[in-house]
Amino acid sequence: MAHEHDTQAVERVYRPSPGLAVAVDDPVQNPGLPPHRERVTDKDPQANRRAVRTVYTLFYVSVAASIWAVAAYMLFPIEGEYATMGNIRNNNLFIGLGIAFALLAIGIGAIHWSKSLMSDKEHVEARHSTRGSEPTRAAVIQAFATANEESGFGRRKMIRNSLFAALVASVIPGITLFRNLAPNDGNDPVQLLNETMWAKGERLVLDPEGTPVKAADVTIGSAFHIIPESLAGLSHDEGYLEEKAKAIVLLVRLLPEQLKETEERKTWSYDGIVAYSKVCTHVGCPVALYEQQTHHLLCPCHQSQFDVTEHAKVVFGPAARPLPQLPITVDAEGYLVAKDGFSEPVGPSFWERH
């Protein structure tokens, strides 16, 4: 059909060299197409109408399930005083069921539509060159028009519209859930990330034991997971996890001559000991892998790497800025303490964009 008006088109089509292909005397014969079998919906108008009703009913079931997922989000709140174990369990269960049924109904409806109502005629199409002639291009457009007619996409408005409604409704639960990604208490996320429990004189203690760390305990090449001493005394009800998520630090000791410190940060380290935020500046994963030979910190989520010798600058990966450095010193008893809090927000750079 594609070359009815160009009898030489097939001859001009690129034909690859047979190369080392082996010509056999008894090649596999083309068995041809099996006999076409009409479906029940092709022979029985009532079955056809029943299939139509089934398809759009499934799509509307999907719409109802999506609405139910949003309703479950509101019926079982998990914030503030409503954050009970029962509400959290019901919230997860019913939102999950709503989204699952919504997507399942769309899938079953689409499959049932294609198997019972769309054209199931067998076609054979010969390969042809990538760029067809104008008649060929016109034929393709006609083929799309024919496919549209045979599938009923343009003609069966009830199915089409219900499918559109189901697809649009299926994203609403996701949008509703994304609402929780943004602070809803009026607090500025940049300001929240600027405020950690680190302050002048705050002792560095081991996570989670809460044991203070002396500079003499930190050997060259070692790495310690650190939290502020005052954080170790918090309970979960007092926001232990929230504060820890911002204040976690990795403590590393190198030879002092290995550090390439800028003039303004020469006093931020102590005898080769440096402390950096563990919260990756890409999307906030914990940067917990230290490679002793290269002095690189690795984020396991997206492979961002930071050079400990140069203020944890980014040497590889998608992170956009260095890990914030915590200025440290020692107190009168030789314990490591913070000289001040972080001078910049910890965590993803996204929150710094206004």
Side-chain angles (χ1 to χ4, degrees), residues 148-160:
N148 178 49
E149 178 64 25
E150 291 181 344
S151 68
F153 195 83
R155 178 165 45 86
R156 297 184 187 280
K157 295 182 178 178
M158 196 67 176
I159 290 180
R160 184 193 61 194

Side-chain angles (χ1 to χ4, degrees), residues 15 17 74 86 153 173 213 219 236 250 253 256 271 279 325 353:
R15 296 177 186 280
S17 168
M74 300 176 180
F153 195 83
V213 181
T219 57
H236 285 272
L250 202 66
R253 185 165 200 170
D271 197 20
V279 188
Q325 184 174 0
R353 299 173 184 169

Side-chain angles (χ1 to χ4, degrees), residues 204-213 227-229 232-233:
L204 281 67
V205 300
L206 294 177
D207 177 24
E209 298 88 346
T211 306
V213 181
I227 55 176
E229 185 173 32

Side-chain angles (χ1 to χ4, degrees), residues 22-34:
V22 178
V24 296
D25 297 331
D26 55 345
V28 177
Q29 300 299 315
N30 182 356
L33 296 173

Side-chain angles (χ1 to χ4, degrees), residues 286-340:
V287 182
L289 303 176
Y290 176 56
E291 212 293 309
Q292 192 182 60
Q293 299 301 318
T294 61
H295 310 300
H296 288 177
L297 290 172
L298 172 67
C299 177
C301 291
H302 304 97
Q303 285 70 56
S304 290
Q305 292 184 34
F306 306 87
D307 188 350
V308 174
T309 65
E310 280 194 77
H311 301 302
K313 73 174 185 180
V314 181
V315 293
F316 182 80
R321 65 186 177 99
L323 297 172
Q325 184 174 0
L326 182 71
I328 57 173
T329 186
V330 293
D331 61 14
E333 300 177 61
Y335 288 104
L336 289 166
V337 297
K339 294 183 73 173
D340 203 346

